[in-house]
Amino acid sequence: MDFFDAVDKRRSMRGYEAREVEQEKLDRILNAINKAPSAGNMQSYEVVVVKDKKIREALAQASRGQGFIADAPVVLVFCTNPLKAGSKYASRGVNLYSIQDATIAAAYSQLASTSLGLGTVWVGAFNPEQVAEAISAPEGITPVAIIPVGYTTENPSPTPRRSLDDLVKKEHF
Ligand SMILES: Cc1cc2nc3c(=O)[nH]c(=O)nc-3n(C[C@H](O)[C@H](O)[C@H](O)COP(=O)(O)O)c2cc1C
């Protein structure tokens, strides 16, 4: 799929078939994630691939009961690794770059999934301590985005966006 088609077709999908995601497609998504840019190319983030039903249910519970997380056959949990970025960039690495690294990779996962005919949704409303516990995250590794991936039962309309005139400032504010 053309890049701009993937950008146009991506929607937040909150209904999933139980059908498994083919390992080949999952590998392509993970390889796309791994090509994302990162501060100093340090890749100061971790990705946890969750297929286990009990862990998916724990993630849904930790995310205000958003049940579609448990329905998706694969759930990607993107976590910051702040000490990695911090070792090179001090507080800017800890407080900003590790989050940017993780979230750029998460965005890549959504577009890669769309181009492979899979649905995703970005889940940010969760209790980070509970999510960390569900995935047995080591100390200092903080979940920042949960991305369920699967064949979707939905075909939602596009959501509105700000006009470019409003969003984009010419030269300065
Ligand atoms: C940082 C962030 C947090 C979000 N958290 C949630 C969430 O917890 N649950 C949910 O259903 N959607 C969540 N979304 C999805 C947004 O609601 C969705 O992207 C937005 O409404 C635009 O719709 P679209 O993705 O279909 O274009 C989140 C998106 C982002 C970027």
Side-chain angles (χ1 to χ4, degrees):
M1 189 186 290
D2 172 70
F3 171 77
F4 289 98
D5 284 341
V7 170
D8 279 343
K9 291 208 167 93
R10 187 210 56 78
R11 309 256 181 285
S12 290
M13 303 296 192
R14 300 180 178 89
Y16 296 96
E17 296 177 12
R19 177 154 60 120
E20 295 296 322
V21 172
E22 298 85 341
Q23 188 60 44
E24 189 202 347
K25 288 194 174 184
L26 185 54
D27 288 343
R28 289 192 74 186
I29 295 165
L30 297 175
N31 276 300
I33 290 168
N34 202 22
K35 297 217 162 78
S38 64
N41 200 24
M42 294 191 76
Q43 298 186 282
S44 303
Y45 67 97
E46 312 293 333
V47 187
V48 183
V49 179
V50 179
K51 295 183 183 174
D52 182 273
K53 177 84 175 153
K54 282 204 169 64
I55 303 178
R56 286 186 281 139
E57 282 168 355
L59 292 173
Q61 280 305 309
S63 307
R64 303 187 183 175
Q66 299 187 77
F68 54 80
I69 298 171
D71 296 338
V74 180
V75 182
L76 304 177
V77 185
F78 290 83
C79 304
T80 60
N81 188 338
L83 292 184
K84 219 175 194 333
S87 68
K88 191 165 179 184
Y89 297 112
S91 65
R92 198 158 174 84
V94 169
N95 299 318
L96 180 62
Y97 294 164
S98 65
I99 298 169
Q100 291 181 325
D101 286 1
T103 50
I104 292 165
Y108 269 50
S109 79
Q110 290 200 287
L111 291 172
S113 299
T114 303
S115 73
L116 294 169
L118 295 159
T120 63
V121 58
W122 190 297
V123 176
F126 56 77
N127 177 311
E129 287 82 21
Q130 289 173 13
V131 170
E133 191 183 333
I135 56 170
S136 308
E139 188 77 24
I141 303 293
T142 303
V144 288
I146 297 176
I147 311 281
V149 181
Y151 289 96
T152 180
T153 55
E154 299 193 318
N155 186 16
S157 303
T159 48
R161 290 294 187 270
R162 292 161 66 186
S163 71
L164 282 184
D165 280 346
D166 179 48
L167 183 71
V168 179
K169 280 71 189 168
K170 307 261 164 61
E171 313 297 352
H172 53 75
F173 273 89

